[in-house]
Amino acid sequence: MRMAPKLFEEHKPKFLHTRTFNEIKHTQYVAVYEEYEKQINSSVTLTCIVESNPKQTKIILKKTGGRMGFRGSSLSEERSVDSMVNEFIFDFGKRYGLTVQEERISDAISDD
């Protein structure tokens, strides 16, 4: 339950929205990080959705923007916001003995 507030305190997002559901002890955070890469003249946005309840914390990261192709290659030596947020999540998990699991969502449509 403490991971999200600590993340947003250490790495301040450009936009942050919080919603708390007291009756089910559930909190949702939507944070938007944005960084401008001057060398390739593009901005990259990382949307971080955190859903917390007493049993688990689910984090969804979605990176958008930037350029594709040869010009979109990482030219800067600086760490991206995406890598900083991921590193924070794994470090926090190790420090407090949490199990971090990566959940892959398939793009394929199932025949149900």
Side-chain angles (χ1 to χ4, degrees), residues 11-23:
H11 301 288
K12 300 228 183 279
K14 186 167 184 169
F15 301 103
L16 176 64
H17 176 72
T18 305
R19 178 102 190 247
T20 304
F21 303 93
N22 291 328
E23 52 282 342

Side-chain angles (χ1 to χ4, degrees), residues 4-5 12 19 28 50 73 75 84 86 94 100 105 111:
K12 300 228 183 279
R19 178 102 190 247
Q28 290 182 334
V50 181
S73 306
L75 299 174
M84 287 189 302
N86 276 319
K94 281 182 186 177
V100 178
I105 299 172
D111 295 331

Side-chain angles (χ1 to χ4, degrees), residues 41 48 61 67 76 83 88 93-95 102-103 110 112:
N41 193 27
C48 178
L61 300 173
R67 290 193 176 176
S76 64
S83 66
F88 177 88
K94 281 182 186 177
R95 187 176 306 130
E102 184 175 352
E103 184 179 298
S110 63
D112 288 341

Side-chain angles (χ1 to χ4, degrees), residues 19-45:
R19 178 102 190 247
T20 304
F21 303 93
N22 291 328
E23 52 282 342
I24 57 173
K25 297 182 182 176
H26 186 86
T27 306
Q28 290 182 334
Y29 303 89
V30 178
V32 178
Y33 295 93
E34 185 177 36
E35 63 183 6
Y36 179 72
E37 296 180 14
K38 189 174 183 177
Q39 292 176 332
I40 60 173
N41 193 27
S42 69
S43 65
V44 176
T45 303

Side-chain angles (χ1 to χ4, degrees), residues 38-111:
K38 189 174 183 177
Q39 292 176 332
I40 60 173
N41 193 27
S42 69
S43 65
V44 176
T45 303
L46 176 70
T47 303
C48 178
I49 302 170
V50 181
E51 298 177 0
S52 295
N53 63 45
K55 291 187 179 190
Q56 73 175 3
T57 298
K58 182 176 181 179
I59 302 169
I60 302 169
L61 300 173
K62 181 66 179 172
K63 188 174 179 180
T64 57
R67 290 193 176 176
M68 302 302 284
F70 294 109
R71 290 197 61 190
S73 306
S74 178
L75 299 174
S76 64
E77 296 292 324
E78 298 175 18
R79 292 177 39 211
S80 69
V81 112
D82 183 33
S83 66
M84 287 189 302
V85 170
N86 276 319
E87 185 178 303
F88 177 88
I89 292 167
F90 286 109
D91 286 346
F92 191 93
K94 281 182 186 177
R95 187 176 306 130
Y96 292 100
L98 303 173
T99 303
V100 178
Q101 298 176 343
E102 184 175 352
E103 184 179 298
R104 296 268 180 194
I105 299 172
S106 175
D107 292 334
I109 299 172
S110 63
D111 295 331

